[in-house]
Amino acid sequence: MTPVEIPVEKWSGAVREVTLGSSYGGGTRGSTVSVGGETALPFLGFEGAMPHRPAIAVEVQDMHPADWSAELQAAWGDAMDDAATWAQKAVEAGADLIALKLRSCHPDQGDGSCEDAVRTVERVLAAVPVPLIVYGPGSADKDNEVLVAVAEKTKGEQLALGLCEDKNYRTIVAAALGNGHAVIAQTPIDVNLAKQLNILISDMGLPLERVLMDPNTGALGYGLEYTYSVMERLRLAALMGDSMTQQPMICTAGEEAWRQKEGRAEGDVPEAWGALAERGVAWEISTATTLLESGADILVLRHPASVSAMRDALDDLTKGA
Amino acid sequence: MALSGLQIYKLLPQTNCKECGFPTCLAFAMKLAQKGTELDKCPYVSDDARTALDAASAPPIKLATIGAGDRAFGVGNETVMYRHEKTFVHQPGLVVRVKSDAADLADVAARVAGYSVERVGMTLTLDGLAVEDAGGRAAAYAAAVAAARAAAPGLPLVLMSADAAAIDAALAGGAAAEKPLIHAATAANWQAMAEVAKKHACPLVIKVADGDLDGLLELSGQVRGAGVEDLVLDPGATTLAGELAAATQLRRLALKKGARELGYPLVAVAAAPTWQAELVRATQAVGKYAGVIILDHFEPAMLYSLLTLRQNIYTDPQKPIQMEPKLYEIGSPTADSPVLITTNFSLTYFSVAGEVEGAGIPTWLLVADSDGQSVLTGWAAGKFDAEKIAKTVKGSGIENMVGHKKLVIPGHVAGLSGEVEEELPEWKIMVGPRDAVDIPNYIKNVWGA
Ligand code: B12
Ligand code: SF4
């Protein structure tokens, strides 16, 4: 019998590599995290390389998130009262990176000052050796102020600063450019919008080796399939050589999954949904796995049990690669 | 793979007699290639040509039907690698496995048969039960299968054993009428298994180890040679990476290389020691090409996640699932009941309707035509704005149904309230909560106050 001829696609393009942490001197990180560099679709080792295994970031906030699901509050306990302690626990739980959200700076959440924000970032940097992603509070004007202050005071740490959107990317990109940081470019589930923002950012002179893209994700049952297909299309375009789609992708699977009713509602839901203790984690794991399969290079997660499940999954997915 | 017009032309009589209604055989062949006419229109096609044309027009991944009756399900017939190209059509069957000597076999069978969950107005259920031979005598296995059938009548089955005699006994005991899937013929037992599958006319899994596609190809030839055509493939990989590679390769071989010998649906044994690891495997299998997914854990949270994911992945990527835009009555609303407005994306509608219904609050729910977009997407796309809201209210006749004039809009579009007030001067516009979960409390505490 003639052996089966394995159909291998020949791709001409590759995903860019992005490194977080102090990759070119300066900074205080004990380790760096590199992502991207793929020359084939996710985990298809028979076709091409995936030089860096996707990384897991754990979301940490600078104030106790009282509105988070009770399951998450129980999982992290008192550590949530202090970002540095929380970050340490997250690293113990298996985080490759910390995604710090400076929420207390939001005008609706106490309107904390830039000085406080910088102090928090410095405390987290001192508490953990891993690289940091820093998210502003999510209010355009304040994001600009806070992220600029943070960027200046942490020169050389090569943080990833987020979020850059089409309306406010200029200030954040400029801050990253001047201080050796990377940025996260977010667009709403659309191939062309993602390309466009990458072009705008690169036009400002920031090397594309310092740009992650967040294609914006919906959770399982809440738009996940749209993200899944847009990510597949972005990754196919990247492999076919479309330069402005070749950024590694970051997905906030945890935030989306735990926002939904499935991650929050106790009692009062059909028995077939299962218990909240399992359901929230199941929602996060399934959302995260689906995004990995369509090209996520960094997963931002919330629950320690999901972190451990996704670490095991990545061990298994990168076997023999 | 489909033939070109020229390839079809070579199989026709080439006499240009025009009886098919086309001026020439070539014109007829061209139309046939575009599926614009039928082969039967030509009275002179030879039997050989017909066989060749039928074979060429067969789907690249054959359909397998598992079970009989209402709950039977078909898998296969897929035509694309990625769902953005064209909708995936036959969603994978979710099957829970139980050992034939398990004390709770009947109980598990009944729970699998009875599990169901509502989502976006659809009832989602599991598809089957796999009974795995725990070893021992054929009669014991047959008895276990009989017990499972009694506990879950009509639920499709997968019979799992390496022993053809055990499978034969179970099928002869009555299961054959229900057309279970047999798992599995291997290099070691294929002759006996093929004979059993043929005798009882049941679909058969052919299985190799570690994604060995050469072995699978050989087995396919042997089993088809023995007269079994309804096949399902188990590449037998043990890691996630191995499963992904094998599933991708088999799909490509069938769709792009026209490899008929391997053009069958796949079974993925997703079973893992913990439900979390099993969920990861099964999640991969839903997106990456499985036709049947075998699970070991009856963990409702995992099952609900998988049913939701399957619904997501198998929807039409071009057209969101939508509701008819109109005035809906939830419960039996009266002149005093609250009036809420939302969009006609099914997920949005059911999120809102589910909450008010669950809380027992009779409600008038106005559904605007947002082209099936969610509240925020509709708003961002200009399909759910003040004008659309006003138009929906005016066109619905709601004014005549209620004694008050209070309209609740979604919290996510709070910014629209001023504009809506201008469009609907006689209405009081109230901004509801952002999340549907909070609607019942809002109605109790704010709406009536
Ligand atoms: C999936 C998705 C899409 C899908 C479409 C899905 C669909 N059928 O609507 C696609 C990919 C096509 C899409 C496209 C776009 N999208 Co979009 N999309 C999403 C996503 C990920 C999820 C939306 C969703 O399904 N939510 C679930 C449903 C159930 O939510 P919902 O309708 O809001 O309903 C909830 C509440 O509002 C409430 N509720 C509903 N009705 C009512 C009624 C009352 C009275 C009350 C009290 C409450 C209530 O109950 C529900 C449950 O809590 C969100 C981001 C996110 N993670 O949420 C972005 C998002 C909505 N999209 C956005 C944008 C900008 C767009 C585009 C304009 C981008 C573009 N330029 O191409 C396009 C527009 C479409 C077009 N041009 O035709 C933005 C909107 C920005 C904003 N803040 O306004 C978002 C928020 C992403 C972002 N952060 O930028 N999108
Ligand atoms: S009927 Fe058949 S033979 Fe006659 S022209 Fe048509 S295709 Fe040719």
Side-chain angles (χ1 to χ4, degrees):
Chain A
M1 237 171 155
T2 48
V4 175
E5 198 184 317
I6 301 296
V8 175
E9 304 270 5
K10 291 202 178 40
W11 304 110
S12 57
V15 179
R16 289 194 179 82
E17 280 187 33
V18 171
T19 297
L20 301 180
S22 26
S23 63
Y24 53 94
T28 58
R29 300 305 76 209
S31 61
T32 60
V33 167
S34 296
V35 291
E38 297 91 335
T39 57
L41 290 170
F43 311 109
L44 294 186
F46 69 91
E47 184 154 287
M50 188 174 212
H52 305 293
R53 109 182 202 152
I56 294 176
V58 169
E59 181 179 347
V60 164
Q61 302 205 338
D62 68 345
M63 58 187 280
H64 186 113
D67 53 353
W68 277 23
S69 167
E71 279 304 309
L72 291 168
Q73 303 204 43
W76 296 110
D78 292 343
M80 291 176 124
D81 295 337
D82 173 60
T85 316
W86 188 355
Q88 279 169 339
K89 276 194 94 171
V91 171
E92 284 163 29
D96 302 312
L97 297 152
I98 296 298
L100 174 64
K101 175 142 180 150
L102 298 168
R103 181 180 181 182
S104 71
C105 300
H106 197 286
D108 301 341
Q109 301 281 340
D111 210 9
S113 68
C114 291
E115 292 72 40
D116 284 343
V118 169
R119 256 193 302 278
T120 305
V121 174
E122 286 172 343
R123 287 187 52 243
V124 173
L125 282 168
V128 295
V130 301
L132 245 61
I133 295 164
V134 177
Y135 287 114
S139 133
D141 291 344
K142 202 64 191 289
D143 275 11
N144 283 347
E145 278 176 47
V146 169
L147 291 174
V148 169
V150 168
E152 284 170 357
K153 288 288 162 45
T154 55
K155 193 167 179 141
E157 296 287 359
Q158 195 142 352
L159 312 176
L161 302 174
L163 291 167
C164 288
E165 295 177 82
D166 64 347
K167 39 188 184 313
N168 76 334
Y169 71 95
R170 293 178 161 277
T171 313
I172 299 172
V173 172
L177 192 57
N179 298 287
H181 300 300
V183 300
I184 299 172
Q186 191 193 64
T187 44
I189 326 187
D190 187 281
V191 172
N192 290 322
L193 293 178
K195 282 176 69 168
Q196 221 167 20
L197 186 54
N198 290 339
I199 293 171
L200 292 171
I201 289 174
S202 133
D203 282 352
M204 284 185 66
L206 188 68
L208 285 164
E209 286 65 32
R210 275 155 61 189
V211 179
L212 297 167
M213 62 179 173
D214 177 349
N216 196 328
T217 185
L220 173 62
Y222 297 87
L224 179 61
E225 70 275 30
Y226 292 96
T227 307
Y228 181 76
S229 286
V230 160
M231 286 173 66
E232 284 196 330
R233 288 173 52 207
L234 279 165
R235 187 48 53 89
L236 286 167
L239 295 175
M240 285 189 254
D242 183 346
S243 174
M244 287 300 150
T245 59
Q246 293 173 333
Q247 304 316 118
M249 294 190 272
I250 176 168
C251 295
T252 52
E255 177 180 353
E256 289 303 322
W258 288 99
R259 240 167 27 107
Q260 309 307 336
K261 186 172 180 186
E262 280 78 1
R264 316 171 66 90
E266 234 153 334
D268 233 26
V269 297
E271 210 178 307
W273 281 26
L276 177 59
E278 282 80 35
R279 197 197 315 134
V281 171
W283 223 251
E284 187 173 23
I285 291 177
S286 195
T287 302
T289 304
T290 306
L291 296 170
L292 263 189
E293 302 270 342
S294 54
D297 293 282
I298 300 179
L299 290 171
V300 186
L301 301 178
R302 280 192 172 173
H303 197 289
S306 312
V307 173
S308 117
M310 296 317 296
R311 287 196 77 87
D312 291 349
L314 283 166
D315 287 346
D316 210 30
L317 276 165
T318 49
K319 243 175 220 161
Chain B
M1 264 192 285
L3 297 180
S4 69
L6 222 52
Q7 286 168 317
I8 297 175
Y9 171 70
K10 290 188 181 136
L11 296 166
L12 294 175
Q14 305 179 10
T15 54
N16 300 334
C17 74
K18 301 189 174 58
E19 278 183 49
C20 56
F22 289 85
T24 61
C25 293
L26 183 61
F28 179 67
M30 290 299 182
K31 201 69 183 179
L32 208 55
Q34 299 160 6
K35 299 198 171 17
T37 181
E38 280 141 37
L39 188 58
D40 292 340
K41 295 261 158 69
C42 168
Y44 306 111
V45 210
S46 71
D47 287 349
D48 283 357
R50 186 177 297 276
T51 315
L53 283 165
D54 280 352
S57 65
I61 298 176
K62 200 166 186 262
L63 189 79
T65 302
I66 296 154
D70 289 351
R71 297 193 71 159
F73 63 97
V75 292
N77 269 6
E78 301 297 337
T79 56
V80 291
M81 296 298 297
Y82 308 103
R83 62 185 288 286
H84 63 257
E85 299 174 275
K86 200 157 180 265
T87 316
F88 289 179
V89 285
H90 285 106
Q91 50 180 31
L94 294 170
V95 170
V96 178
R97 176 166 75 174
V98 59
K99 273 219 155 54
S100 61
D101 64 353
D104 60 351
L105 177 134
D107 182 44
V108 174
R111 282 201 288 161
V112 171
Y115 183 90
S116 97
V117 62
E118 293 286 323
R119 206 176 161 84
V120 199
M122 290 178 221
T123 305
L124 311 178
T125 56
L126 301 175
D127 302 277
L129 183 79
V131 183
E132 184 185 26
D133 190 356
R137 296 159 50 86
Y141 182 67
V145 171
R149 289 172 52 226
L155 184 68
L157 294 176
V158 179
L159 304 184
M160 301 182 84
S161 178
D163 178 7
I167 303 275
D168 190 33
L171 290 168
E178 288 155 22
K179 302 290 168 221
L181 176 65
I182 301 171
H183 185 288
T186 62
N189 70 6
W190 68 266
Q191 277 138 321
M193 277 297 182
E195 203 169 302
V196 172
K198 197 174 161 191
K199 173 169 144 199
H200 298 286
C202 291
L204 176 66
V205 177
I206 55 175
K207 176 176 159 47
V208 291
D210 298 324
D212 168 20
L213 301 193
D214 294 337
L216 205 56
L217 180 64
E218 184 171 0
L219 202 48
S220 165
Q222 289 165 329
V223 170
R224 283 179 303 122
V228 183
E229 295 286 345
D230 288 331
L231 300 183
V232 174
L233 313 178
D234 182 350
T238 49
T239 62
L240 277 166
E243 275 167 13
L244 182 64
T248 305
Q249 292 167 355
L250 285 166
R251 179 90 147 209
R252 282 189 192 162
L253 283 162
L255 297 186
K256 304 193 165 186
K257 302 286 170 196
R260 295 252 169 243
E261 310 82 358
L262 295 172
Y264 297 96
L266 311 185
V267 56
V269 182
T274 63
W275 70 259
Q276 290 90 339
E278 188 162 302
L279 174 58
V280 170
R281 300 188 93 85
T283 295
Q284 173 176 284
V286 169
K288 294 299 174 186
Y289 316 138
V292 179
I293 300 174
I294 295 182
L295 305 162
D296 268 355
H297 292 81
F298 189 92
E299 168 54 57
M302 175 187 82
L303 299 173
Y304 176 37
S305 306
L306 287 172
L307 286 164
T308 303
L309 178 69
R310 181 175 81 172
Q311 185 186 42
N312 284 176
I313 297 290
Y314 277 75
T315 51
D316 180 345
Q318 314 298 342
K319 199 166 173 286
I321 311 178
Q322 321 190 2
M323 304 296 297
E324 186 193 336
K326 62 172 194 185
L327 176 62
Y328 288 82
E329 300 181 15
I330 315 285
S332 304
T334 65
D336 300 326
S337 300
V339 181
L340 273 54
I341 188 158
T342 189
T343 73
N344 77 323
F345 183 30
S346 282
L347 179 61
T348 301
Y349 168 85
F350 283 103
S351 303
V352 176
E355 292 303 333
V356 285
E357 197 170 359
I361 303 171
T363 302
W364 300 100
L365 185 53
L366 274 167
V367 173
D369 184 357
S370 65
D371 267 351
Q373 308 273 357
S374 75
V375 169
L376 276 178
T377 318
W379 176 75
K383 289 172 181 160
F384 186 62
D385 52 14
E387 213 179 303
K388 180 63 67 63
I389 291 173
K391 202 174 140 209
T392 308
V393 170
K394 287 177 187 154
S396 66
I398 183 71
E399 287 112 324
N400 311 323
M401 306 289 195
V402 289
H404 63 81
K405 284 217 154 61
K406 290 193 285 186
L407 173 71
V408 185
I409 63 171
H412 276 302
V413 290
L416 287 181
S417 72
E419 286 175 58
V420 181
E421 252 157 24
E422 278 174 32
E423 299 266 350
L424 294 170
E426 54 301 7
W427 285 79
K428 176 178 177 201
I429 306 305
M430 300 181 68
V431 175
R434 287 164 165 257
D435 286 320
V437 212
D438 301 320
I439 295 177
N441 269 336
Y442 174 84
I443 291 177
K444 280 175 206 144
N445 303 325
V446 184
W447 188 83

